[in-house]
């Protein structure tokens, strides 16, 4: 990109757009020789993707879920935060600055680190797949992860994405060399749309849905499907290369795991 090159020659760091260090992982994808069924063979670090027994995503069969009266409402506390929109190559991620907030499960803090989008959805409900799924990724100090997953159907624009509309457009114009990551700082992002009260969620223990498929994730899939406009979904997808516009891992076997349901008042 000519302008980037000029900035580099002048030694000036571009104010808004930038490319950063090469991806530090073995490339994986969603089709061809690097498709999900091959992930376990791409690197020894990815072996859980093929031989794990608690993998994600899953199909949530409503009639097989178990109401767990010990589950609590999702305890989340997010603040407005500075963030950076990042093109990871395989998905688009909004990386949070420090102190954006946390969720608390069984008295343990999980700090919100980043959120990213998959299209179509990775989790399905009674076999139904949705056009989009967002993952809010939280990590505890000892390295465990809790993800809040939100499913989207087409409809009204999603207010959270709406506020970073221009940044999404900037990121789609940014072209970085080879396997570099494109970054766009967003400034302050309002997270109030994300912490809306939820009266129903599905909880199960699973894995990351991308390599290395680590099995230390507490999943919280919200019961309420939210809306996103087709334009918003298309704008997010257009950032990614064509072979990553479908970045949904197929559903994985439950292997005896149970899916618990929190339903307020039930
Ligand atoms: C996306 O890719 C998966 C395989 O990874 C495939 O099962 C699915 O049908 C694809 N979906 C679309 C909408 O192309
Ligand atoms: C999965 O495969 C890796 C590499 O072959 C091995 O180290 C690991 O023990 C296996 N894990 C399970 C759960 O079978
Ligand atoms: C966000 O970044 C701006 C500019 O660097 C700074 O002035 C502001 O204090 C930051 N806000 C938060 C909540 O970190
Ligand atoms: C969780 O975070 C809060 C502040 O947000 C802190 O007061 C509390 O001590 C933390 N709890 C643990 C177990 O670290
Ligand atoms: C971290 O997750 C693993 C796998 O779910 C679990 O066995 C372990 O108890 C968790 N550790 C803590 C401290 O919650």
């Amino acid at each position: 990109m000519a302008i980037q090159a000029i900035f580099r020659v002048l030694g000036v760091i571009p104010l808004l757009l930038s490319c950063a260090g090469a991806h530090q992982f073995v490339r994986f994808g969603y089709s061809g020789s690097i498709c999900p069924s091959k992930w376990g063979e791409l690197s020894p670090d990815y072996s859980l993707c093929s031989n794990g027994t608690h993998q994600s995503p899953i199909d949530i069969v409503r009639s097989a879920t178990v109401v767990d009266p010990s589950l609590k409402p999702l305890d989340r506390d997010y603040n407005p935060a500075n963030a950076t929109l990042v093109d990871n190559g395989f998905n688009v991620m909004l990386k949070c600055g420090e102190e954006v907030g946390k969720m608390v499960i069984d008295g343990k803090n999980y700090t919100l680190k980043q959120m990213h989008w998959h299209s179509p959805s990775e989790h399905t409900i009674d076999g139904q797949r949705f056009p989009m799924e967002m993952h809010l990724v939280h990590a505890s100090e000892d390295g465990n992860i809790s993800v809040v997953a939100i499913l989207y159907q087409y409809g009204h624009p999603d207010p959270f994405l709406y506020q970073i509309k221009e940044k999404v457009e900037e990121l789609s114009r940014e072209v970085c060399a080879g396997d570099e990551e494109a970054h766009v700082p967003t400034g302050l992002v309002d997270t109030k749309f994300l912490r809306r009260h939820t009266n129903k969620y599905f909880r199960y223990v699973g894995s990351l849905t991308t390599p290395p498929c680590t099995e230390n994730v507490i999943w919280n899939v919200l019961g309420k499907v939210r809306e996103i406009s087709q334009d918003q979904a298309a704008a997010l997808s257009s950032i990614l290369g064509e072979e990553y516009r479908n970045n949904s891992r197929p559903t994985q076997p439950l292997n005896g795991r149970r899916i618990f349901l929190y339903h307020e008042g039930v």
Side-chain angles (χ1 to χ4, degrees):
M1 203 176 176
I3 290 181
Q4 296 287 323
I6 291 163
F7 276 125
R8 279 197 193 122
V9 170
L10 296 176
V12 177
I13 297 164
L15 209 55
L16 289 174
L17 306 177
S18 67
C19 295
H23 299 305
Q24 296 297 318
F25 52 81
V26 174
R27 192 163 168 266
F28 62 88
Y30 294 86
S31 57
S33 61
I34 55 170
C35 72
S37 61
K38 305 276 188 343
W39 287 353
E41 300 157 31
L42 300 176
S43 157
D45 295 341
Y46 295 176
S47 59
L48 276 174
C49 301
S50 51
N51 70 5
T53 55
H54 290 63
Q55 290 289 295
S56 294
I58 56 167
D59 178 37
I60 296 169
V61 177
R62 264 190 278 228
S63 61
T65 60
V66 182
V67 174
D68 180 350
S70 73
L71 284 181
K72 308 237 166 25
L74 284 186
D75 179 357
R76 298 188 291 157
D77 178 19
Y78 303 147
N79 311 306
N82 286 322
T84 308
L85 202 58
V86 180
D87 175 0
N88 279 322
F90 57 91
N91 66 29
V92 176
M93 169 176 85
L94 188 65
K95 199 169 168 219
C96 303
E98 297 299 311
E99 308 301 327
V100 59
K102 62 177 190 319
M103 73 185 291
V104 182
I105 300 177
D106 296 334
K108 187 164 162 167
N109 289 346
Y110 294 79
T111 306
L112 181 59
K113 299 290 183 189
Q114 49 105 335
M115 58 203 86
H116 62 262
W117 292 267
H118 292 271
S119 141
S121 72
E122 299 205 290
H123 288 91
T124 55
I125 296 189
D126 290 333
Q128 186 186 358
R129 197 175 293 286
F130 295 86
M132 183 77 76
E133 178 170 340
M134 176 163 69
H135 291 160
L136 294 124
V137 181
H138 309 70
S140 64
E141 271 190 338
D142 57 5
N144 275 6
I145 291 175
S146 173
V147 180
V148 173
I150 305 177
L151 300 165
Y152 290 89
Q153 62 194 359
Y154 289 136
H156 294 292
D158 170 49
F160 180 75
L161 262 176
Y162 188 78
Q163 66 177 324
I164 54 169
K165 183 175 188 285
E166 272 113 49
K167 307 299 172 183
V168 168
E169 284 162 8
E170 274 177 41
L171 190 62
S172 70
R173 287 194 297 268
E174 177 73 334
V175 177
C176 287
D179 52 2
E180 282 186 329
E181 289 172 350
H183 287 211
V184 177
T186 60
L188 217 52
V189 170
D190 194 338
T191 47
K192 70 167 180 264
F193 310 109
L194 300 176
R195 58 182 145 82
R196 278 199 302 225
H197 179 73
T198 181
N199 63 9
K200 185 174 169 189
Y201 66 88
F202 302 100
R203 160 80 53 85
Y204 77 99
V205 175
S207 73
L208 302 178
T209 64
T210 52
C213 305
T214 316
E215 297 186 324
N216 63 345
V217 182
I218 299 173
W219 281 93
N220 310 273
V221 180
L222 301 193
K224 184 170 169 57
V225 176
R226 293 193 186 168
E227 292 188 355
I228 187 172
S229 71
Q230 296 208 32
D231 285 351
Q232 287 181 314
L236 269 181
S237 285
S238 72
I239 293 171
L240 299 168
E242 210 161 321
E243 69 275 31
Y244 289 98
R245 291 184 184 167
N246 173 356
N247 56 9
S248 171
R249 186 189 194 194
T251 54
Q252 305 291 305
L254 267 182
N255 294 322
R257 282 176 291 174
R258 291 209 288 172
I259 307 169
F260 297 100
L261 169 63
Y262 168 80
H263 200 168
E264 195 168 75
V266 174

mmCIF file with all atom_site columns, all heavy atoms in Angstrom, residues 30-31 35-36 119-120 129 246-250, ligand 1:
data_model
loop_
_atom_site.group_PDB
_atom_site.id
_atom_site.type_symbol
_atom_site.label_atom_id
_atom_site.label_alt_id
_atom_site.label_comp_id
_atom_site.label_asym_id
_atom_site.label_entity_id
_atom_site.label_seq_id
_atom_site.pdbx_PDB_ins_code
_atom_site.Cartn_x
_atom_site.Cartn_y
_atom_site.Cartn_z
_atom_site.occupancy
_atom_site.B_iso_or_equiv
_atom_site.pdbx_formal_charge
_atom_site.auth_seq_id
_atom_site.auth_comp_id
_atom_site.auth_asym_id
_atom_site.auth_atom_id
_atom_site.pdbx_PDB_model_num
ATOM   1   N N   . TYR A 1 30  ? -10.863 -23.001 6.549  1.00 0.00 ? 30  TYR A N   1
ATOM   2   C CA  . TYR A 1 30  ? -12.199 -23.610 6.605  1.00 0.00 ? 30  TYR A CA  1
ATOM   3   C C   . TYR A 1 30  ? -12.540 -24.396 5.351  1.00 0.00 ? 30  TYR A C   1
ATOM   4   O O   . TYR A 1 30  ? -13.663 -24.861 5.196  1.00 0.00 ? 30  TYR A O   1
ATOM   5   C CB  . TYR A 1 30  ? -13.243 -22.519 6.890  1.00 0.00 ? 30  TYR A CB  1
ATOM   6   C CG  . TYR A 1 30  ? -13.038 -21.947 8.287  1.00 0.00 ? 30  TYR A CG  1
ATOM   7   C CD1 . TYR A 1 30  ? -12.143 -20.903 8.520  1.00 0.00 ? 30  TYR A CD1 1
ATOM   8   C CD2 . TYR A 1 30  ? -13.679 -22.517 9.383  1.00 0.00 ? 30  TYR A CD2 1
ATOM   9   C CE1 . TYR A 1 30  ? -11.923 -20.411 9.803  1.00 0.00 ? 30  TYR A CE1 1
ATOM   10  C CE2 . TYR A 1 30  ? -13.462 -22.044 10.675 1.00 0.00 ? 30  TYR A CE2 1
ATOM   11  C CZ  . TYR A 1 30  ? -12.590 -20.990 10.871 1.00 0.00 ? 30  TYR A CZ  1
ATOM   12  O OH  . TYR A 1 30  ? -12.354 -20.524 12.140 1.00 0.00 ? 30  TYR A OH  1
ATOM   13  N N   . SER A 1 31  ? -11.557 -24.531 4.438  1.00 0.00 ? 31  SER A N   1
ATOM   14  C CA  . SER A 1 31  ? -11.803 -25.320 3.228  1.00 0.00 ? 31  SER A CA  1
ATOM   15  C C   . SER A 1 31  ? -10.475 -25.905 2.758  1.00 0.00 ? 31  SER A C   1
ATOM   16  O O   . SER A 1 31  ? -9.401  -25.504 3.234  1.00 0.00 ? 31  SER A O   1
ATOM   17  C CB  . SER A 1 31  ? -12.421 -24.430 2.138  1.00 0.00 ? 31  SER A CB  1
ATOM   18  O OG  . SER A 1 31  ? -11.574 -23.337 1.882  1.00 0.00 ? 31  SER A OG  1
ATOM   19  N N   . CYS A 1 35  ? -8.772  -27.417 6.123  1.00 0.00 ? 35  CYS A N   1
ATOM   20  C CA  . CYS A 1 35  ? -10.150 -27.307 6.639  1.00 0.00 ? 35  CYS A CA  1
ATOM   21  C C   . CYS A 1 35  ? -10.251 -27.919 8.042  1.00 0.00 ? 35  CYS A C   1
ATOM   22  O O   . CYS A 1 35  ? -9.335  -28.632 8.476  1.00 0.00 ? 35  CYS A O   1
ATOM   23  C CB  . CYS A 1 35  ? -11.119 -27.967 5.673  1.00 0.00 ? 35  CYS A CB  1
ATOM   24  S SG  . CYS A 1 35  ? -11.010 -29.758 5.679  1.00 0.00 ? 35  CYS A SG  1
ATOM   25  N N   . PRO A 1 36  ? -11.348 -27.649 8.759  1.00 0.00 ? 36  PRO A N   1
ATOM   26  C CA  . PRO A 1 36  ? -11.451 -28.082 10.157 1.00 0.00 ? 36  PRO A CA  1
ATOM   27  C C   . PRO A 1 36  ? -11.138 -29.556 10.418 1.00 0.00 ? 36  PRO A C   1
ATOM   28  O O   . PRO A 1 36  ? -10.496 -29.870 11.437 1.00 0.00 ? 36  PRO A O   1
ATOM   29  C CB  . PRO A 1 36  ? -12.900 -27.743 10.520 1.00 0.00 ? 36  PRO A CB  1
ATOM   30  C CG  . PRO A 1 36  ? -13.196 -26.524 9.700  1.00 0.00 ? 36  PRO A CG  1
ATOM   31  C CD  . PRO A 1 36  ? -12.496 -26.769 8.388  1.00 0.00 ? 36  PRO A CD  1
ATOM   32  N N   . SER A 1 119 ? -19.074 -16.322 10.978 1.00 0.00 ? 119 SER A N   1
ATOM   33  C CA  . SER A 1 119 ? -20.206 -16.332 10.066 1.00 0.00 ? 119 SER A CA  1
ATOM   34  C C   . SER A 1 119 ? -20.125 -17.552 9.151  1.00 0.00 ? 119 SER A C   1
ATOM   35  O O   . SER A 1 119 ? -19.065 -17.789 8.573  1.00 0.00 ? 119 SER A O   1
ATOM   36  C CB  . SER A 1 119 ? -20.195 -15.024 9.286  1.00 0.00 ? 119 SER A CB  1
ATOM   37  O OG  . SER A 1 119 ? -20.537 -15.211 7.967  1.00 0.00 ? 119 SER A OG  1
ATOM   38  N N   . PRO A 1 120 ? -21.159 -18.366 9.023  1.00 0.00 ? 120 PRO A N   1
ATOM   39  C CA  . PRO A 1 120 ? -22.387 -18.309 9.823  1.00 0.00 ? 120 PRO A CA  1
ATOM   40  C C   . PRO A 1 120 ? -22.104 -18.694 11.276 1.00 0.00 ? 120 PRO A C   1
ATOM   41  O O   . PRO A 1 120 ? -20.934 -18.857 11.632 1.00 0.00 ? 120 PRO A O   1
ATOM   42  C CB  . PRO A 1 120 ? -23.290 -19.341 9.125  1.00 0.00 ? 120 PRO A CB  1
ATOM   43  C CG  . PRO A 1 120 ? -22.332 -20.324 8.508  1.00 0.00 ? 120 PRO A CG  1
ATOM   44  C CD  . PRO A 1 120 ? -21.122 -19.528 8.124  1.00 0.00 ? 120 PRO A CD  1
ATOM   45  N N   . ARG A 1 129 ? -28.876 -23.110 12.174 1.00 0.00 ? 129 ARG A N   1
ATOM   46  C CA  . ARG A 1 129 ? -27.693 -22.247 12.136 1.00 0.00 ? 129 ARG A CA  1
ATOM   47  C C   . ARG A 1 129 ? -28.148 -20.821 11.866 1.00 0.00 ? 129 ARG A C   1
ATOM   48  O O   . ARG A 1 129 ? -29.105 -20.587 11.146 1.00 0.00 ? 129 ARG A O   1
ATOM   49  C CB  . ARG A 1 129 ? -26.741 -22.735 11.037 1.00 0.00 ? 129 ARG A CB  1
ATOM   50  C CG  . ARG A 1 129 ? -25.332 -22.215 11.155 1.00 0.00 ? 129 ARG A CG  1
ATOM   51  C CD  . ARG A 1 129 ? -24.413 -22.833 10.102 1.00 0.00 ? 129 ARG A CD  1
ATOM   52  N NE  . ARG A 1 129 ? -24.181 -24.266 10.271 1.00 0.00 ? 129 ARG A NE  1
ATOM   53  C CZ  . ARG A 1 129 ? -23.403 -24.794 11.216 1.00 0.00 ? 129 ARG A CZ  1
ATOM   54  N NH1 . ARG A 1 129 ? -22.764 -24.026 12.064 1.00 0.00 ? 129 ARG A NH1 1
ATOM   55  N NH2 . ARG A 1 129 ? -23.256 -26.095 11.305 1.00 0.00 ? 129 ARG A NH2 1
ATOM   56  N N   . ASN A 1 246 ? -16.596 -17.768 5.275  1.00 0.00 ? 246 ASN A N   1
ATOM   57  C CA  . ASN A 1 246 ? -17.250 -18.802 6.078  1.00 0.00 ? 246 ASN A CA  1
ATOM   58  C C   . ASN A 1 246 ? -16.198 -19.253 7.091  1.00 0.00 ? 246 ASN A C   1
ATOM   59  O O   . ASN A 1 246 ? -15.288 -20.005 6.765  1.00 0.00 ? 246 ASN A O   1
ATOM   60  C CB  . ASN A 1 246 ? -17.679 -19.960 5.165  1.00 0.00 ? 246 ASN A CB  1
ATOM   61  C CG  . ASN A 1 246 ? -18.206 -21.145 5.953  1.00 0.00 ? 246 ASN A CG  1
ATOM   62  O OD1 . ASN A 1 246 ? -18.186 -21.153 7.180  1.00 0.00 ? 246 ASN A OD1 1
ATOM   63  N ND2 . ASN A 1 246 ? -18.663 -22.173 5.245  1.00 0.00 ? 246 ASN A ND2 1
ATOM   64  N N   . ASN A 1 247 ? -16.291 -18.765 8.311  1.00 0.00 ? 247 ASN A N   1
ATOM   65  C CA  . ASN A 1 247 ? -15.302 -19.159 9.329  1.00 0.00 ? 247 ASN A CA  1
ATOM   66  C C   . ASN A 1 247 ? -15.998 -19.826 10.511 1.00 0.00 ? 247 ASN A C   1
ATOM   67  O O   . ASN A 1 247 ? -15.801 -19.483 11.661 1.00 0.00 ? 247 ASN A O   1
ATOM   68  C CB  . ASN A 1 247 ? -14.424 -17.975 9.754  1.00 0.00 ? 247 ASN A CB  1
ATOM   69  C CG  . ASN A 1 247 ? -15.232 -16.789 10.252 1.00 0.00 ? 247 ASN A CG  1
ATOM   70  O OD1 . ASN A 1 247 ? -16.442 -16.886 10.441 1.00 0.00 ? 247 ASN A OD1 1
ATOM   71  N ND2 . ASN A 1 247 ? -14.563 -15.678 10.489 1.00 0.00 ? 247 ASN A ND2 1
ATOM   72  N N   . SER A 1 248 ? -16.826 -20.809 10.175 1.00 0.00 ? 248 SER A N   1
ATOM   73  C CA  . SER A 1 248 ? -17.607 -21.528 11.156 1.00 0.00 ? 248 SER A CA  1
ATOM   74  C C   . SER A 1 248 ? -17.133 -22.978 11.220 1.00 0.00 ? 248 SER A C   1
ATOM   75  O O   . SER A 1 248 ? -17.174 -23.692 10.214 1.00 0.00 ? 248 SER A O   1
ATOM   76  C CB  . SER A 1 248 ? -19.078 -21.446 10.729 1.00 0.00 ? 248 SER A CB  1
ATOM   77  O OG  . SER A 1 248 ? -19.870 -22.283 11.498 1.00 0.00 ? 248 SER A OG  1
ATOM   78  N N   . ARG A 1 249 ? -16.662 -23.380 12.397 1.00 0.00 ? 249 ARG A N   1
ATOM   79  C CA  . ARG A 1 249 ? -16.247 -24.776 12.564 1.00 0.00 ? 249 ARG A CA  1
ATOM   80  C C   . ARG A 1 249 ? -17.499 -25.649 12.686 1.00 0.00 ? 249 ARG A C   1
ATOM   81  O O   . ARG A 1 249 ? -18.444 -25.266 13.388 1.00 0.00 ? 249 ARG A O   1
ATOM   82  C CB  . ARG A 1 249 ? -15.410 -24.905 13.848 1.00 0.00 ? 249 ARG A CB  1
ATOM   83  C CG  . ARG A 1 249 ? -14.822 -26.293 14.031 1.00 0.00 ? 249 ARG A CG  1
ATOM   84  C CD  . ARG A 1 249 ? -14.184 -26.460 15.411 1.00 0.00 ? 249 ARG A CD  1
ATOM   85  N NE  . ARG A 1 249 ? -13.351 -27.652 15.460 1.00 0.00 ? 249 ARG A NE  1
ATOM   86  C CZ  . ARG A 1 249 ? -12.877 -28.207 16.564 1.00 0.00 ? 249 ARG A CZ  1
ATOM   87  N NH1 . ARG A 1 249 ? -13.159 -27.659 17.745 1.00 0.00 ? 249 ARG A NH1 1
ATOM   88  N NH2 . ARG A 1 249 ? -12.134 -29.277 16.522 1.00 0.00 ? 249 ARG A NH2 1
ATOM   89  N N   . PRO A 1 250 ? -17.526 -26.818 12.056 1.00 0.00 ? 250 PRO A N   1
ATOM   90  C CA  . PRO A 1 250 ? -18.694 -27.700 12.212 1.00 0.00 ? 250 PRO A CA  1
ATOM   91  C C   . PRO A 1 250 ? -18.912 -28.080 13.679 1.00 0.00 ? 250 PRO A C   1
ATOM   92  O O   . PRO A 1 250 ? -17.966 -28.060 14.475 1.00 0.00 ? 250 PRO A O   1
ATOM   93  C CB  . PRO A 1 250 ? -18.320 -28.937 11.379 1.00 0.00 ? 250 PRO A CB  1
ATOM   94  C CG  . PRO A 1 250 ? -17.290 -28.463 10.415 1.00 0.00 ? 250 PRO A CG  1
ATOM   95  C CD  . PRO A 1 250 ? -16.525 -27.376 11.129 1.00 0.00 ? 250 PRO A CD  1
HETATM 96  C C1  . LIG B 2 .   ? -19.102 -23.421 5.901  1.00 0.00 ? 1   LIG B C1  1
HETATM 97  O O1  . LIG B 2 .   ? -18.094 -24.432 5.994  1.00 0.00 ? 1   LIG B O1  1
HETATM 98  C C2  . LIG B 2 .   ? -18.508 -25.606 6.638  1.00 0.00 ? 1   LIG B C2  1
HETATM 99  C C3  . LIG B 2 .   ? -17.323 -26.549 6.695  1.00 0.00 ? 1   LIG B C3  1
HETATM 100 O O2  . LIG B 2 .   ? -16.297 -25.994 7.419  1.00 0.00 ? 1   LIG B O2  1
HETATM 101 C C4  . LIG B 2 .   ? -19.662 -26.241 5.897  1.00 0.00 ? 1   LIG B C4  1
HETATM 102 O O3  . LIG B 2 .   ? -20.114 -27.357 6.624  1.00 0.00 ? 1   LIG B O3  1
HETATM 103 C C5  . LIG B 2 .   ? -20.778 -25.233 5.722  1.00 0.00 ? 1   LIG B C5  1
HETATM 104 O O4  . LIG B 2 .   ? -21.788 -25.793 4.910  1.00 0.00 ? 1   LIG B O4  1
HETATM 105 C C6  . LIG B 2 .   ? -20.298 -23.935 5.116  1.00 0.00 ? 1   LIG B C6  1
HETATM 106 N N1  . LIG B 2 .   ? -21.375 -22.986 5.173  1.00 0.00 ? 1   LIG B N1  1
HETATM 107 C C7  . LIG B 2 .   ? -21.635 -22.149 4.196  1.00 0.00 ? 1   LIG B C7  1
HETATM 108 C C8  . LIG B 2 .   ? -22.773 -21.182 4.426  1.00 0.00 ? 1   LIG B C8  1
HETATM 109 O O5  . LIG B 2 .   ? -21.000 -22.133 3.173  1.00 0.00 ? 1   LIG B O5  1
#
